[in-house]
Amino acid sequence: MTVPNPPADSGPVAIICGGGSFPFTVADALMKSGRGAVLFALRGFADPDRVTGYPHHWAHVTQLGRFLRLARREGCRDVIFIGTLVRPSFRQLVNFDLATLRVLPGAIRHFYGGDNHLLTGMARMLEDHGFRLLGAHEVAPEILVPEGALGQVAPAPRDLDDIHYGLEVLRAIGPFDVGQGVVVANRHVIAVEAAEGTDQMLTRVGELRQSKRFRAPPGIGVLVKAPKSGQDWRFDLPSIGPRTIEGIIEAGLAGLAVKAGGSIIAEPQIVVEKADRAGVFVAGFPETPGGSA
Amino acid sequence: MTVPNPPADSGPVAIICGGGSFPFTVADALMKSGRGAVLFALRGFADPDRVTGYPHHWAHVTQLGRFLRLARREGCRDVIFIGTLVRPSFRQLVNFDLATLRVLPGAIRHFYGGDNHLLTGMARMLEDHGFRLLGAHEVAPEILVPEGALGQVAPAPRDLDDIHYGLEVLRAIGPFDVGQGVVVANRHVIAVEAAEGTDQMLTRVGELRQSKRFRAPPGIGVLVKAPKSGQDWRFDLPSIGPRTIEGIIEAGLAGLAVKAGGSIIAEPQIVVEKADRAGVFVAGFPETPGGSA
């Protein structure tokens, strides 16, 4: 079934809403811009207290038919998917509706093929039903991290050197769909993020510091995050928020650098306040820092 | 001060002995071959109970002069450095002797420059004093992992595919002096080793499995270890031992693969027994598995 693309930017945006605060940051931006949003809150993932502040429906991850029906009725054409979605256990997979059962064999294959495959399959399915899957940054570009220092603290020359080195590491592992983050201190790679995620990696760095396996004095070392090469920005842009800054502080790092225009930030004012108070930097770096290719 | 190279293979080998069981595996091999060994056990690192079974002297890491004097008196010319040596805290740095104080400024610079720099500096200093620093694999080649499966379990085709993928990842990060290990499941990178070391990485993989962030069924996934590119084999070859197999089992992996002829194994019979009992494989892979360049 092929449906012609709907006109761009019509109707409120359907936000398929996982955990964390990002869905609400994006919804706020859409409300402010006048476009509007309807949350499709995923049971077990979305924050129930915060969902009630927005137009919303609840759905199980297994209720694709329900989503398609309600999104159409709400006049949504554009869909974004945002928020954490730790893969559901089989016990959470209840209340399958017919539309879900139809795509299930493919979905299961995607599910075990890694996130990108799962979500690429979801995107294709939504398009088959006349919707358009966009990235959160396309409907709310103000959530993208801008270039330069966000707060009052700027990276020192040594930090810039570590950022550059971290970027080279991320570029080298980019083709392998590994993580999006790396911690570097004095051009020494302290930690590489894979399935554990950024927060857990920062906890590890703090522990390595406590156990003296990572001995550079506090205030030395940076977290660098960048999108994986070939990553589909509609699903999974590197993201930072207040929790990331807490992790940076606990790990004793000098700050964090993310790709400007290629990373999203939740609750930026809280991020900047926390960072300024602790004296750590938060910076967006351009595509090629230092002007190198 | 330049001293001509002493004749090769003369006298017992001086083993500067850090933590873990590797120093004793090497000492056993040297005793068996008739060459002999003298342990220079580093206080706070070497296992006191096991050291007593060999000709030995105790020394602080700060007693370079003491080492040089005693090693000469024992008729040692070849020196190897083996065993874990978590970087000492400043409080452990007591009893500096004169020879150490002479090289201290350089040593401190090496110390914060990363392990390879530290040890390269040590090697140069030993050579300046007429000794020759060798790799453990050069004096006891029987501790090197051979090619093929070591026990009764061989890697399945899927495992070989994951091994190959893991090797590509290690090759990509090789230039950055990151870790020597990676865990891959279904061509998905689950964990990359950096400062935390292999054992802690395997613990993390087990936790990721328990928290369902890594969902491939138990028995899927491999640990791959290979020397870093440009790594000085005299100091730091990838190593495995009984503890590694325990980690593999706890992480629910299918097995582990290390570079044949480029990795050392402690207590091989215990490793193979444990692996066979748990049904996991231990394999040495050739330089270019699958014949690729």
Side-chain angles (χ1 to χ4, degrees), chain B:
Chain B
M1 172 166 63
T2 315
V3 175
N5 256 4
D9 306 335
S10 68
V13 174
I15 300 181
I16 302 178
C17 173
S21 58
F22 273 107
F24 310 107
T25 303
V26 176
D28 288 343
L30 283 164
M31 293 304 186
K32 213 164 149 188
S33 76
R35 169 118 194 237
V38 181
L39 301 191
F40 291 83
L42 294 173
R43 278 193 204 284
F45 301 101
D47 179 344
D49 291 339
R50 299 192 65 178
V51 163
T52 51
Y54 304 84
H56 70 277
H57 301 280
W58 282 98
H60 281 282
V61 287
T62 54
Q63 295 179 311
L64 192 56
R66 177 175 161 77
F67 166 77
L68 296 171
R69 209 162 45 240
L70 289 170
R72 251 188 220 114
R73 192 186 302 160
E74 295 279 3
C76 302
R77 281 298 171 270
D78 288 344
V79 180
I80 68 164
F81 171 88
I82 191 159
T84 55
L85 181 62
V86 174
R87 291 181 186 188
S89 70
F90 276 111
R91 280 198 300 169
Q92 278 176 277
L93 297 178
V94 293
N95 297 325
F96 284 93
D97 66 18
L98 198 61
T100 311
L101 287 174
R102 266 196 207 113
V103 299
L104 196 62
I108 286 176
R109 202 175 55 237
H110 293 308
F111 192 69
Y112 286 107
D115 284 321
N116 270 354
H117 298 177
L118 170 66
L119 295 166
T120 306
M122 249 183 60
R124 203 169 306 126
M125 187 275 305
L126 285 172
E127 275 158 22
D128 285 347
H129 284 82
F131 293 94
R132 184 171 67 157
L133 189 69
L134 297 176
H137 61 291
E138 293 173 283
V139 298
E142 57 269 53
I143 66 170
L144 288 169
V145 174
E147 199 175 316
L150 267 64
Q152 286 164 5
V153 188
R158 178 180 49 211
D159 302 326
L160 291 173
D161 193 47
D162 281 341
I163 291 168
H164 201 137
Y165 195 76
L167 271 176
E168 286 175 31
V169 175
L170 290 175
R171 221 168 271 147
I173 60 176
F176 299 99
D177 191 23
V178 188
Q180 306 169 317
V182 64
V183 172
V184 176
N186 284 334
R187 298 179 75 85
H188 214 69
V189 179
I190 308 302
V192 179
E193 176 186 342
E196 75 275 23
T198 305
D199 291 347
Q200 203 180 312
M201 176 178 64
L202 290 175
T203 303
R204 178 163 85 247
V205 171
E207 288 166 357
L208 287 169
R209 230 169 191 145
Q210 289 213 312
S211 66
K212 311 286 183 190
R213 298 191 73 160
F214 164 33
R215 295 183 73 84
I220 292 181
V222 302
L223 164 67
V224 188
K225 294 187 76 168
K228 302 173 200 170
S229 49
Q231 180 168 347
D232 192 327
W233 285 26
R234 290 177 300 176
F235 310 121
D236 188 21
L237 274 180
S239 59
I240 58 171
R243 179 69 203 95
T244 322
I245 303 300
E246 288 161 20
I248 292 289
I249 296 166
E250 282 158 30
L253 299 179
L256 72 87
V258 296
K259 188 169 156 43
S263 316
I264 55 180
I265 180 166
E267 305 177 277
Q269 68 293 351
I270 299 178
V271 165
V272 167
E273 273 170 33
K274 272 184 190 280
D276 282 350
R277 214 177 315 131
V280 304
F281 70 83
V282 179
F285 56 78
E287 179 74 44
T288 52
S292 73

Side-chain angles (χ1 to χ4, degrees), chain A residues 223-276:
Chain A
L223 164 67
V224 188
K225 295 186 75 170
K228 303 172 200 171
S229 48
Q231 179 167 347
D232 192 327
W233 286 26
R234 291 176 300 175
F235 309 123
D236 188 21
L237 275 180
S239 60
I240 58 170
R243 179 70 202 95
T244 322
I245 302 301
E246 288 161 20
I248 292 290
I249 297 166
E250 282 158 30
L253 298 179
L256 72 87
V258 296
K259 188 169 153 43
S263 316
I264 55 179
I265 181 166
E267 306 178 275
Q269 68 293 352
I270 299 178
V271 166
V272 168
E273 273 170 34
K274 272 183 191 282
D276 282 350

